[in-house]
Amino acid sequence: MCANFELTDFKVRILDEDRAGTDATIRVLIETTDGRRSWSTVGIGTDIIEASWEALFDAYMWGLLHSGVAPLLRE
């Protein structure tokens, strides 16, 4: 079984309007679909790359779990 996902939306918001630059807390919202259903995941942090990775990783894992494909997790 193969799982195909498509990123349909990517949003970045600054949560701390009183802070500037690298001190600000960032929220990344990713919307994903597999063609049958859609889901949203969120990443939060002070680094946009890490927040984006968190949201993308969660979207991928959620999609795999709900498509019947068991993801390989390493400890």
Side-chain angles (χ1 to χ4, degrees), residues 7-62:
L7 187 142
T8 57
D9 199 10
F10 179 89
K11 296 177 185 173
V12 177
R13 298 288 184 261
I14 297 174
L15 301 179
D16 302 331
E17 293 184 14
D18 58 329
R19 294 184 176 179
T22 58
D23 288 337
T25 302
I26 299 164
R27 180 182 69 199
V28 173
L29 175 67
I30 291 179
E31 294 182 22
T32 311
T33 185
D34 62 4
R36 294 186 323 252
R37 62 185 142 215
S38 297
W39 58 94
S40 298
T41 53
V42 176
I44 297 176
T46 56
D47 183 320
I48 191 169
I49 303 297
E50 288 182 20
S52 298
W53 174 250
E54 181 181 326
L56 185 60
F57 181 82
D58 287 349
Y60 178 75
M61 293 300 289
W62 193 97

